[in-house]
């Protein structure tokens, strides 16, 4: 049986969390002279350290419980906390499947954790037998799977086989899963070693707000909340997130348009002579293989169209985010007029 206490670093288990003024007094009314705040102004009070109203709204949107939600300053804060909570520097290891989101490697390096990288196959899927075999190293405490994957855009299959065959923590980064009907969130209760990351930066259109979410068992989320800074989400971002999450109709409309545009772009790009392959995507971007990624990238940049050159990650590939219909058409027209 999985026991979270055998995975968490001993110093984290023993940690006494910082107790803020709002932890010691949770009332809403009164003369507040306890937090050394300036008594003047509209944003002079510290934000709710527990983000209670926001968690209630997220729980409603994603059909889960507030106690299973951690809110961070972007998903990057949750990724960093995973490293700090579960891995001893210079001793434990993390693992991921490449090519994938580069922040896993950066966070591992910052925390002095060795990151093992297992390649995905030609279809950007797990080679399940080699993947499971790679987990035998007892020093591996945590692994990261991005699904839909960045930069390839496809949903990763066989994730549950990995969860069942690993005694450590499995982090499934679902930053782009709002564009699909494929999420492991409904199975969270089945796997006590599972953490699911989501964000408001992609389908919800709040990249500037920097708000990410980690979903896990209450035992895991309690540890996250113990380690995080007391006021990690600003009041401005807190309010912007709640307002956006209340506009479900607007969210669905924008998401539907992005998906429609993604399919239109994929079909049009596949017909261009410069394009070798358009990889299937369930995200808000397309990975395409071209005949000369560096030249295509430079040509588009000269036309004030900025895409992501992924040539160093996936040979001769560029990644194109889905923009507005007008932006997408300008990209297609530029490529159609190119002689590269």
């Amino acid at each position: 049986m999985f026991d979270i206490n055998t995975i968490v670093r001993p110093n984290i288990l023993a940690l006494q969390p910082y107790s803020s003024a709002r932890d010691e007094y949770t009332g809403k009314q009164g003369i507040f002279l306890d937090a050394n705040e300036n008594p003047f102004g509209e944003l002079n009070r510290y934000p709710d350290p527990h983000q209670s109203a926001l968690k209630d709204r997220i729980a409603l949107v994603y059909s889960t419980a507030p106690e299973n939600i951690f809110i961070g300053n972007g998903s990057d804060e949750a990724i960093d906390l995973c490293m700090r909570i579960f891995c001893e520097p210079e001793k434990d290891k993390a693992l991921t499947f490449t090519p994938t989101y580069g922040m896993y490697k950066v966070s591992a390096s910052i925390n002095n954790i060795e990151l093992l990288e297992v390649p995905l196959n030609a279809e950007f899927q797990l080679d399940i037998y080699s993947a499971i075999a790679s987990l035998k190293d007892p020093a591996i405490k945590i692994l990261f799977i991005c699904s839909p994957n960045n930069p390839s855009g496809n949903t990763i299959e066989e994730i549950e086989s990995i969860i069942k065959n690993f005694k450590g923590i499995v982090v499934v980064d679902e930053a782009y899963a709002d564009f699909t009907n494929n999420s492991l969130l409904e199975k969270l209760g089945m796997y006590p070693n599972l953490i699911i990351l989501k964000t408001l930066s992609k389908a919800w259109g709040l990249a500037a707000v920097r708000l990410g979410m980690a979903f896990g068992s209450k035992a895991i989320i309690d540890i996250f909340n113990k380690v995080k800074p007391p006021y990690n989400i600003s009041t401005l971002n807190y309010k912007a997130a709640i307002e956006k999450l209340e506009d479900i109709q607007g969210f669905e409309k924008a998401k539907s348009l992005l998906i429609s545009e993604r399919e239109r772009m994929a079909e049009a790009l596949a017909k261009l002579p410069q394009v070798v392959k358009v990889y299937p995507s369930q995200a808000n971007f397309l990975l395409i293989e071209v005949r000369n990624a560096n030249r295509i990238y430079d040509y588009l940049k000269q036309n004030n169209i900025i895409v992501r050159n992924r040539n160093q990650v996936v040979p001769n590939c560029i990644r194109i985010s889905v923009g507005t219909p007008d932006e997408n058409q300008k990209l297609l027209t530029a490529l159609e007029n190119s002689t590269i």
Side-chain angles (χ1 to χ4, degrees), residues 242-260:
I242 290 178
E243 181 178 353
K244 191 71 172 183
L245 288 163
E246 289 175 345
D247 184 18
I248 299 296
Q249 185 176 0
F251 163 74
E252 293 292 349
K253 182 178 179 180
K255 182 177 72 171
S256 178
L257 177 60
L258 287 171
I259 292 172
S260 175

Side-chain angles (χ1 to χ4, degrees), residues 22-23 25-32 45-53 238:
R22 294 289 69 77
D23 287 310
Y25 180 78
T26 59
K28 305 298 182 183
Q29 303 297 322
I31 298 173
F32 291 96
R45 300 297 181 185
Y46 286 112
D48 174 11
H50 308 292
Q51 301 110 20
S52 300
Y238 181 90

Side-chain angles (χ1 to χ4, degrees), residues 16-24 230:
Q16 293 297 315
Y18 176 79
S19 179
S20 72
R22 294 289 69 77
D23 287 310
E24 295 171 11

Side-chain angles (χ1 to χ4, degrees), residues 174-185:
E174 293 189 349
Y176 301 95
D178 287 321
F179 293 102
T180 77
N181 293 318
N182 195 331
S183 172
L184 285 173
L185 192 55

Side-chain angles (χ1 to χ4, degrees), residues 282-312:
Q282 291 182 290
N284 67 328
F285 59 84
L286 292 166
L287 183 72
I288 65 171
E289 181 183 352
V290 293
R291 302 196 185 282
N292 191 316
N294 292 338
R295 290 184 65 190
I296 290 289
Y297 173 79
D298 289 339
Y299 165 77
L300 290 172
K301 185 168 66 173
Q302 290 167 7
N303 285 271
N304 292 319
I305 300 171
I306 315 303
V307 297
R308 194 78 185 270
N309 189 349
R310 299 279 78 187
N311 186 37
Q312 300 299 316

Side-chain angles (χ1 to χ4, degrees), residues 269-278 288-291 335:
L269 287 166
K271 297 176 182 178
L272 297 177
Q274 310 97 315
V275 175
V276 176
K277 182 175 183 177
V278 178
I288 65 171
E289 181 183 352
V290 293
R291 302 196 185 282
L335 288 175

Side-chain angles (χ1 to χ4, degrees), residues 23-267:
D23 287 310
E24 295 171 11
Y25 180 78
T26 59
K28 305 298 182 183
Q29 303 297 322
I31 298 173
F32 291 96
L33 305 176
D34 58 348
N36 296 341
E37 299 158 324
N38 188 316
F40 306 111
E42 295 181 1
L43 295 172
N44 57 316
R45 300 297 181 185
Y46 286 112
D48 174 11
H50 308 292
Q51 301 110 20
S52 300
L54 180 53
K55 287 180 181 177
D56 287 343
R57 186 63 198 176
I58 292 170
L60 184 63
V61 170
Y62 286 106
S63 301
T64 188
E67 66 183 22
N68 298 122
I69 302 168
F70 166 80
I71 299 175
N73 182 9
S75 296
D76 295 337
E77 181 177 9
I79 291 168
D80 178 68
L81 284 179
C82 285
M83 295 289 185
R84 289 196 279 146
I85 289 170
F86 300 111
C87 295
E88 288 279 5
E90 299 186 321
K91 176 184 175 184
D92 295 329
K93 302 175 184 178
L95 181 145
T96 194
F97 301 94
T98 57
T100 192
Y101 181 42
M103 198 61 199
Y104 310 138
K105 188 171 186 177
V106 172
S107 187
S109 297
I110 291 171
N111 288 283
N112 204 10
I113 304 298
E114 181 181 355
L115 181 69
L116 305 179
E117 298 179 319
V118 177
L120 296 168
N121 64 23
E123 287 74 42
F124 298 112
Q125 291 292 346
L126 299 169
D127 181 337
I128 194 63
Y129 297 107
S130 64
I132 291 175
S134 69
L135 302 177
K136 293 181 179 179
D137 185 343
I140 300 173
K141 294 296 178 65
I142 187 169
L143 64 88
F144 293 86
I145 302 174
C146 188
S147 181
N149 189 41
N150 178 7
S152 55
N154 61 294
T155 296
I156 301 295
E157 301 169 358
E158 301 280 3
I159 294 178
E160 289 188 75
S161 295
I162 295 292
I163 300 172
K164 293 172 183 177
N165 284 277
F166 184 52
K167 296 181 180 179
I169 297 293
V170 178
V171 180
V172 180
D173 189 343
E174 293 189 349
Y176 301 95
D178 287 321
F179 293 102
T180 77
N181 293 318
N182 195 331
S183 172
L184 285 173
L185 192 55
E186 63 182 20
K187 297 185 178 181
L188 192 65
M190 296 172 56
Y191 303 115
N193 61 329
L194 174 62
I195 296 173
I196 296 173
L197 305 183
K198 290 184 177 292
T199 180
L200 298 188
S201 295
K202 310 300 181 183
W204 290 96
L206 288 184
V209 167
R210 305 305 305 129
L211 198 144
M213 300 158 282
F215 298 81
S217 68
K218 184 179 183 301
I220 287 176
I221 298 304
D222 284 349
I223 295 170
F224 269 68
N225 287 326
K226 181 166 73 167
V227 176
K228 80 172 183 71
Y231 305 112
N232 62 326
I233 303 299
S234 78
T235 296
L236 292 173
N237 292 359
Y238 181 90
K239 290 181 177 179
I242 290 178
E243 181 178 353
K244 191 71 172 183
L245 288 163
E246 289 175 345
D247 184 18
I248 299 296
Q249 185 176 0
F251 163 74
E252 293 292 349
K253 182 178 179 180
K255 182 177 72 171
S256 178
L257 177 60
L258 287 171
I259 292 172
S260 175
E261 282 294 294
R262 181 190 70 200
E263 298 310 307
R264 181 177 77 90
M265 289 177 66
E267 183 177 351

